[in-house]
């Protein structure tokens, strides 16, 4: 799905990953679920690019529905996979704290589960990662800046690309709650430290971006400041 000439989404409103498309190559932000590899191939075919044009995979955090097919790209094609040092163990299959599921509705829960069955909920965990840190600007297409966003997980980050005027937020927020079906900006489920996650939103509020791109839910065309305010309103509801 093309969002702009330089920005494409892979997947759907249940689970999403993103491609930054630049003349010098591509950057993949998150790797969804394992079966979304075929979605990646279709998107690459549609834009006339190949797997070997991908210069790196950057992970907003190390949960299974973001690690997805990243190890396949790394092991089969030598594409580096980058993740914050605080989530490196999680991306390798380390234990994730058990978090309460919170409210849910049967229909959205079944849709999430069905999509997971179709695309595969069990990732091939990473065996090698490149660890990154807050404040780095990555030498990859899109020149992404790493913004630490602890809360959903210790190593959750956002990536800001001035080149495409987008901030990739992973599960720092959601625009479609996978358990309730609620749409619009709001807190993401399965968050380790909800209050810390809300506080971390300050770190993206003033960015000069026109796209806010979550791991779950529709892409938002708007401002980070308005999105952050909407998440906090939803959190109080």
């Amino acid at each position: 799905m093309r969002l702009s000439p330089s920005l494409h989404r892979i997947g759907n409103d249940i689970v999403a990953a993103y491609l930054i498309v630049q003349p010098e190559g591509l950057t993949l932000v998150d790797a969804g679920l394992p079966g979304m590899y075929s979605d990646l191939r279709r998107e690459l075919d549609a834009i006339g690019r190949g797997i070997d044009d991908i210069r790196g995979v950057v992970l907003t955090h190390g949960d299974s529905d973001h690690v997805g097919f990243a190890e396949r790209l790394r092991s089969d094609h030598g594409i580096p996979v980058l993740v914050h040092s605080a989530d490196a163990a999680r991306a390798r299959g380390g234990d994730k704290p058990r978090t309460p599921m919170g409210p849910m509705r049967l229909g959205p829960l079944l849709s999430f589960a069905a999509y997971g069955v179709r695309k595969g909920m069990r990732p091939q965990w990473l065996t090698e990662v490149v660890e990154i840190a807050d404040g780095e600007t990555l030498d990859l297409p899109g020149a992404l800046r790493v913004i630490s966003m602890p809360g959903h997980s210790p190593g959750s980050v956002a990536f800001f690309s001035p080149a495409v005027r987008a901030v990739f937020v992973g599960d720092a927020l959601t625009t479609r709650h996978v358990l309730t079906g609620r749409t619009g900006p709001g807190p993401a489920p399965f968050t380790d430290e909800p209050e810390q996650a809300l506080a971390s939103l300050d770190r993206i509020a003033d960015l000069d971006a026109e796209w806010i791109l979550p791991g779950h839910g529709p892409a938002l065309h708007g401002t980070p400041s308005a999105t952050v305010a909407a998440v906090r309103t939803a959190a109080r509801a």
Side-chain angles (χ1 to χ4, degrees):
M1 176 183 178
R2 171 174 155 160
L3 302 174
S4 75
S6 299
L7 192 58
H8 293 247
R9 188 178 77 162
I10 298 158
N12 58 19
D13 288 355
I14 299 176
V15 181
Y18 300 91
L19 271 177
I20 296 174
V21 179
Q22 298 286 276
E24 69 272 21
L26 315 177
T27 299
L28 178 67
V29 182
D30 286 331
L33 297 169
M36 290 169 61
Y37 182 79
S38 60
D39 300 318
L40 170 67
R41 296 302 298 257
R42 281 193 295 272
E43 194 69 25
L44 291 173
D45 288 344
I47 63 175
R49 306 294 283 265
I51 290 286
D52 291 339
D53 288 318
I54 300 174
R55 302 290 179 253
V57 182
V58 296
L59 301 180
T60 57
H61 60 294
D63 284 350
S64 61
D65 54 348
H66 294 255
V67 168
F69 55 84
E71 175 65 11
R72 183 174 183 178
L73 294 178
R74 191 205 65 77
S75 61
D76 291 357
H77 300 276
I79 298 170
V81 181
L82 290 69
V83 64
H84 190 281
S85 57
D87 261 29
R90 187 176 289 201
R92 294 187 181 102
D95 290 339
K96 181 183 186 299
R98 293 184 179 274
T99 56
M101 292 183 70
M104 67 185 73
R105 294 173 55 227
L106 184 59
L109 178 62
L110 289 177
S111 294
F112 182 51
Y115 190 70
V117 169
R118 183 155 59 93
K119 295 295 186 179
M121 287 296 288
R122 288 184 177 273
Q124 183 181 0
W125 294 109
L126 287 154
T127 56
E128 294 180 21
V129 298
V130 177
E131 297 187 13
I132 56 177
D134 182 45
E136 287 188 55
T137 297
L138 304 178
D139 186 20
L140 291 171
L144 297 124
R145 175 154 56 92
V146 182
I147 302 171
S148 183
M149 301 280 289
H152 184 78
S153 68
S156 286
V157 301
F159 295 106
F160 173 50
S161 173
V164 294
R165 299 199 67 209
V167 55
F168 304 85
V169 296
D171 287 0
L173 61 92
T174 186
T175 57
R176 181 188 183 276
H177 195 293
V178 296
L179 300 181
T180 68
R182 180 194 179 277
T183 56
F190 306 113
T191 293
D192 292 358
E193 300 289 344
E195 292 303 318
Q196 186 181 38
L198 286 174
S200 288
L201 294 173
D202 286 341
R203 306 211 65 209
I204 64 169
D206 294 331
L207 294 175
D208 182 18
E210 62 181 3
W211 287 103
I212 299 90
L213 303 175
H216 308 279
L220 278 180
H221 194 247
T223 65
S225 59
T227 302
V228 167
V231 173
R232 290 188 165 138
T233 297
R236 293 192 294 269

